[in-house]
Amino acid sequence: MEVGATANPEARAGLYIHIPFCRAKCPYCDFYSVTHPLEEDSFLSALLTEAKLWSEFWPRDLPLETLYVGGGTPSLLSPRFYERLLEGLAEALPLAPEELTLEANPEGLGLEYLRALRGIGFNRLSIGAQSFSEKGLSALGRRHGPEDTRQAVEAARRAGFENLSLDLIFGWPGQSLSDLQEDLSAALALSPEHLSCYELTVEKGTPFYRLLQEGRLALPSEDLLVAMHETVPEVLEARGLKRYEISNYAHRGRLCRHNLLYWRLKPYLGLGPAAASFWERKRLRNPEDLEEYLRALREGRLPTVVEEVLEGEEALREALFVGLRLLEGVDLEELSRRFGRDPARLFASEIARLRDLGLVTLEKGRLKLTPKGVLLANQVQLHFL
Ligand code: SF4
């Protein structure tokens, strides 16, 4: 991989660590993970070697202000692993995180484990609840029950986590509108500071995809899905969780700072197999293959490859593509300053067409989705692909 060593003038960046281990694969999931865990020591040493190799490039004056450990199932690994990981990362990189998130599956999340994580410095927990009904969890092939999530949240609160996020999936096979309302009520009863609510998408290569091709997966109808898309914000916003991204809701001051970096096209560094980075306008990615990832590091080289270099118009397209997911929209003048080209002029015809269709508004230099645009966000985004 060729990367330049010029300091990046942008002041904020985030660090993502991918933990590629799961107990079993869920039939809808296309995130990279394996079900044969590596010894913690071997994986730790690979991650720290990778961080050290990156330290030659990553500017010391670009602090990593957020840390997000995702997966896979990060909660499968021990607090001791994370303690040593954070120590090693801080030695190699300008790690100064104010928000430290760990993704966790509800099963087996005990008080002692969570206290240890809190003690190490994690201050945000994102729990994969997905549904609160046995029917929903079984339709999604999840291994936990609704009680596991309730107990995990209770334990997290007792352990001192004041910033909790819950993940929910809607549109699972057999789900009705009242099932969705019950899921939302059950999630709200746990008073999370943040909620991510995603429609189930059937990705190529997953068991769900095969079932769908064979006509054996009964997903909700289009009409029902539209009703679900309307219900989610209605219910959550009525309870004070403000929608700030198409699928994400938060109480004041509890937006996920790490994910905001992605949507604002700010730099981030990703370590671990399948992790992506964005730096100096380059999209970089590690191989989705644990062995290949480990081999590169054993040989003393970064496993990372440059997927794409975003220059000029391409960078602006990408900034609009990801930025329009945010309800605050994108500041066209700021983009113009950052990328040296004016998106209002460059995309004048796309913007005019979308405004005519009532899908976006342009106010005080800010381009954002209208309520109709939020419902049809995928179509709006396609204009900037
Ligand atoms: S959904 Fe989560 S727990 Fe299930 S296979 Fe994917 S990463 Fe693992």
Side-chain angles (χ1 to χ4, degrees):
M1 184 192 59
E2 260 187 54
V3 281
T6 341
N8 194 321
E10 297 181 71
R12 315 171 71 85
L15 177 61
Y16 174 79
I17 308 284
H18 191 77
I19 307 293
F21 310 117
C22 287
R23 281 222 169 85
K25 283 301 285 184
C26 304
Y28 59 88
C29 175
D30 78 332
F31 292 122
Y32 177 69
S33 65
V34 295
T35 51
H36 49 276
L38 201 64
E39 273 202 356
E40 286 194 354
D41 281 357
S42 312
F43 189 55
L44 178 70
S45 125
L47 285 173
L48 293 182
T49 304
E50 191 184 7
K52 203 157 171 236
L53 290 169
W54 260 106
S55 69
E56 291 175 31
F57 307 111
W58 193 265
R60 298 299 303 180
D61 61 356
L62 184 54
L64 297 156
E65 292 185 351
T66 59
L67 171 72
Y68 194 103
V69 184
T73 311
S75 51
L76 284 180
L77 302 189
S78 70
R80 180 82 185 115
F81 169 88
Y82 288 113
E83 191 175 8
R84 289 187 298 159
L85 177 67
L86 292 189
E87 278 168 16
L89 291 174
E91 277 170 28
L93 295 163
L95 187 66
E98 290 164 17
E99 178 191 89
L100 296 90
T101 305
L102 186 107
E103 278 183 357
N105 275 358
E107 59 266 32
L109 262 192
L111 180 58
E112 202 182 319
Y113 180 80
L114 292 167
R115 271 197 182 131
L117 288 181
R118 190 70 195 90
I120 295 165
F122 283 97
N123 54 18
R124 188 170 182 275
L125 205 59
S126 173
I127 301 179
Q130 316 311 358
S131 171
F132 283 88
S133 78
E134 297 283 2
K135 185 170 95 170
L137 291 170
S138 140
L140 289 166
R142 299 289 305 194
R143 293 162 67 88
H144 67 272
E147 268 320 299
D148 290 319
T149 306
R150 292 192 183 94
Q151 283 167 15
V153 169
E154 197 197 316
R157 294 298 191 200
R158 286 179 61 201
F161 280 94
E162 292 172 357
N163 196 359
L164 283 186
S165 179
L166 296 178
D167 276 2
L168 282 184
I169 294 178
F170 68 92
W172 36 262
Q175 190 182 26
S176 66
L177 198 56
S178 62
D179 288 333
L180 171 63
Q181 281 156 339
E182 282 169 25
D183 265 354
L184 294 171
S185 304
L188 287 166
L190 297 174
S191 307
E193 282 71 29
H194 186 283
L195 244 168
S196 300
C197 212
Y198 290 97
E199 179 190 338
L200 176 72
T201 48
V202 178
E203 304 288 352
K204 238 180 171 165
T206 60
F208 266 19
Y209 186 80
R210 273 196 304 284
L211 289 175
L212 191 66
Q213 298 293 96
E214 292 164 6
R216 294 198 289 137
L217 195 70
L219 294 173
S221 67
E222 277 301 309
D223 285 351
L224 179 50
L225 280 175
V226 170
M228 288 178 170
H229 275 281
E230 288 166 350
T231 299
V232 173
E234 222 173 81
V235 172
L236 297 184
E237 297 213 297
R239 293 284 297 270
L241 281 158
K242 195 168 176 327
R243 188 182 207 175
Y244 69 101
E245 193 266 351
I246 290 171
S247 308
N248 285 280
Y249 301 77
H251 283 296
R252 200 187 182 82
R254 298 301 197 177
L255 282 64
C256 177
R257 291 177 54 174
H258 184 81
N259 287 342
L260 281 173
L261 293 172
Y262 296 152
W263 295 313
R264 290 177 177 157
L265 207 62
K266 300 289 181 187
Y268 53 88
L269 174 61
L271 305 180
S277 306
F278 180 66
W279 181 59
E280 293 194 329
R281 301 194 187 173
K282 294 184 189 78
R283 282 214 176 284
L284 311 156
R285 188 171 285 280
N286 283 347
E288 288 201 0
D289 181 323
L290 182 58
E291 275 316 310
E292 200 182 325
Y293 167 82
L294 295 172
R295 193 178 326 116
L297 292 165
R298 269 198 307 269
E299 291 167 3
R301 59 184 170 86
L302 279 174
T304 320
V305 292
V306 178
E307 269 194 333
E308 200 180 358
V309 182
L310 294 172
E311 289 296 357
E313 184 178 329
E314 282 312 301
L316 281 174
R317 278 188 190 281
E318 181 74 4
L320 289 169
F321 184 83
V322 291
L324 279 173
R325 292 193 61 87
L326 289 170
L327 279 278
E328 68 180 18
V330 285
D331 180 342
L332 297 184
E333 279 171 28
E334 192 258 343
L335 290 185
S336 181
R337 282 194 300 278
R338 251 175 97 191
F339 296 105
R341 296 183 73 175
D342 180 6
R345 286 181 62 185
L346 204 57
F347 302 113
S349 62
E350 284 91 341
I351 293 172
R353 199 168 328 128
L354 290 168
R355 286 176 84 181
D356 288 347
L357 291 167
L359 297 173
V360 298
T361 58
L362 184 57
E363 285 163 26
K364 297 185 185 150
R366 207 166 247 291
L367 186 70
K368 50 177 148 175
L369 298 174
T370 60
K372 184 176 163 195
V374 173
L375 270 178
L376 299 171
N378 290 346
Q379 288 179 36
V380 176
Q381 283 183 300
L382 288 181
H383 283 76
F384 300 106
L385 253 191

